[in-house]
Amino acid sequence: MTSVPQHPSEGTRRERPTVVLAWAARALADAGVPSARVEAEILAAYVLAVPRGRLALADGLTDEQRDRFEALVSRRCRREPLQHLTGSAGFRHLELAVGPGVFVPRPETELLAGWGVERAAERVADGVTPVVVDLCSGSGAIALAVAQEVPTARVVAVERAPAALAWLRRNAATRAAAGDRPIEVLAADVTAPDLLAELVGRVDVLLCNPPYVPLAVVVPPEVAGHDPAEAVFGGDDGLTVIRPVLRRAAALLRPGGALGVEHDDTHGASVPDLLAADGRYTAITAHHDLAGRSRFATAFRRTDHRRPATSDTWQTGSS
């Protein structure tokens, strides 16, 4: 790589970003990293502490910065998650701290969070202070997005894993310090039959991004080697956690309360079928992500306390 003097009067030599970016993009692409050029730019911007869009205007890299950049690229080539390298993950309007021990939030989950924000905002418009519950909260992405975007909501985040809880509490403290309404964090197993007993019949919106990948599915190296297995895999069919969550959600939701649960793209029919079979839900809808894959299902708690026949139909959503 070629060094050029950035500030000749000071005798400082810096590596031009364009040169190191070309090298990094090739290395990442050769390692099978998707969007190699984009990720190279993100890492360079991180090292230079500038927005990615200003890389072209940034000073070149010092020797120390170049060494640091090359070390990060090398780690990414070994398929360590990009978010672990930078220490953060973007989610809607948030930047969340992430690292070993917590599931890195995915962009597709923003759709579920947005649906929950809309349902909570509707309750606010009706003059209600909504109670929103986020099960399998992980880093707190969904819970903290709702708390930021619906500031009058009471938000409860539930997580079991000690390592994930540490990240959740860290992110919750950071957002509270930034002025967002504080959320409540509960260490608990979401499959417990007495979960949140004090909120039975009182929850307005319940959201969940559970572990749902079937055990036999081969996942990318970033997931297999770094995301906690208990946050990824949901038993042989991927529904081990979803089944008890749907049952408990029906008890927690108020009549008319809203439920949204993310699932594997192979569950586009099975999760809505489970909701219909339960009998306590209505307006069951399947939603797709921006790539057109089945991604989450929504429903509302029945208001008539009637358990209909399991043949009740459900709809397919476009979002």
Side-chain angles (χ1 to χ4, degrees), residues 102-215:
V102 70
F103 184 80
V104 175
R106 283 10 183 211
E108 52 265 31
T109 305
E110 295 184 21
L111 297 174
L112 172 62
W115 184 89
V117 165
E118 291 173 358
R119 302 293 78 75
E122 289 170 354
R123 293 294 283 164
V124 174
D126 290 336
V128 175
T129 297
V131 176
V132 180
V133 170
D134 173 29
L135 301 183
C136 304
S137 192
S139 65
I142 292 175
L144 293 168
V146 174
Q148 182 185 66
E149 297 177 51
V150 191
T152 61
R154 175 190 175 189
V155 180
V156 181
V158 181
E159 175 57 53
R160 181 185 70 175
L165 275 165
W167 290 103
L168 170 55
R169 290 183 173 121
R170 174 179 171 180
N171 285 320
T174 298
R175 292 314 313 163
D180 291 354
R181 177 166 177 170
I183 67 170
E184 302 169 34
V185 176
L186 175 65
D189 186 339
V190 302
T191 67
D194 60 347
L195 177 70
L196 295 169
E198 71 281 7
L199 290 181
V200 167
R202 297 174 51 199
V203 175
D204 294 283
V205 182
L206 190 147
L207 304 169
C208 182
N209 180 18
Y212 56 65
V213 177
L215 279 173

Side-chain angles (χ1 to χ4, degrees), residues 32-316:
V33 174
S35 306
R37 176 71 186 195
V38 171
E39 295 208 9
E41 292 176 357
I42 291 172
L43 289 174
Y46 173 68
V47 169
L48 288 167
V50 299
R52 179 182 159 213
R54 295 187 62 83
L55 271 177
L57 303 177
D59 288 345
L61 285 79
T62 65
D63 288 345
E64 181 181 357
Q65 289 172 328
R66 183 195 61 199
D67 291 344
R68 185 182 174 204
F69 177 68
E70 290 179 353
L72 289 172
V73 171
S74 178
R75 290 169 63 187
R76 186 67 186 105
C77 285
R78 295 194 295 272
R79 306 305 290 269
E80 189 170 343
L82 176 68
Q83 296 85 354
H84 284 197
L85 303 181
T86 63
S88 68
F91 189 84
R92 290 181 69 85
H93 308 296
L94 302 172
E95 282 293 328
L96 301 169
V98 295
V102 70
F103 184 80
V104 175
R106 283 10 183 211
E108 52 265 31
T109 305
E110 295 184 21
L111 297 174
L112 172 62
W115 184 89
V117 165
E118 291 173 358
R119 302 293 78 75
E122 289 170 354
R123 293 294 283 164
V124 174
D126 290 336
V128 175
T129 297
V131 176
V132 180
V133 170
D134 173 29
L135 301 183
C136 304
S137 192
S139 65
I142 292 175
L144 293 168
V146 174
Q148 182 185 66
E149 297 177 51
V150 191
T152 61
R154 175 190 175 189
V155 180
V156 181
V158 181
E159 175 57 53
R160 181 185 70 175
L165 275 165
W167 290 103
L168 170 55
R169 290 183 173 121
R170 174 179 171 180
N171 285 320
T174 298
R175 292 314 313 163
D180 291 354
R181 177 166 177 170
I183 67 170
E184 302 169 34
V185 176
L186 175 65
D189 186 339
V190 302
T191 67
D194 60 347
L195 177 70
L196 295 169
E198 71 281 7
L199 290 181
V200 167
R202 297 174 51 199
V203 175
D204 294 283
V205 182
L206 190 147
L207 304 169
C208 182
N209 180 18
Y212 56 65
V213 177
L215 279 173
V217 173
V218 177
V219 295
E222 290 85 351
V223 177
H226 300 278
D227 277 330
E230 66 178 334
V232 176
F233 297 102
D236 289 342
D237 62 359
L239 299 170
T240 299
V241 177
I242 289 178
R243 288 189 183 93
V245 162
L246 299 186
R247 289 194 296 268
R248 189 56 181 165
L252 291 171
L253 289 167
R254 65 169 179 81
L259 168 69
V261 59
E262 188 168 320
H263 55 67
D264 190 67
D265 56 13
T266 62
H267 295 153
S270 54
V271 171
D273 283 346
L274 286 172
L275 288 164
D278 179 278
R280 290 173 287 180
Y281 295 101
T282 188
I284 300 166
T285 305
H287 299 259
H288 300 83
D289 61 23
L290 297 179
R293 298 168 297 197
S294 295
R295 184 53 57 201
F296 68 101
T298 61
F300 293 85
R301 183 66 167 85
R302 299 188 69 91
T303 59
D304 56 10
H305 305 291
R306 180 177 64 88
R307 284 179 176 261
T310 57
S311 60
D312 274 14
T313 58
W314 47 267
Q315 307 170 20
T316 299

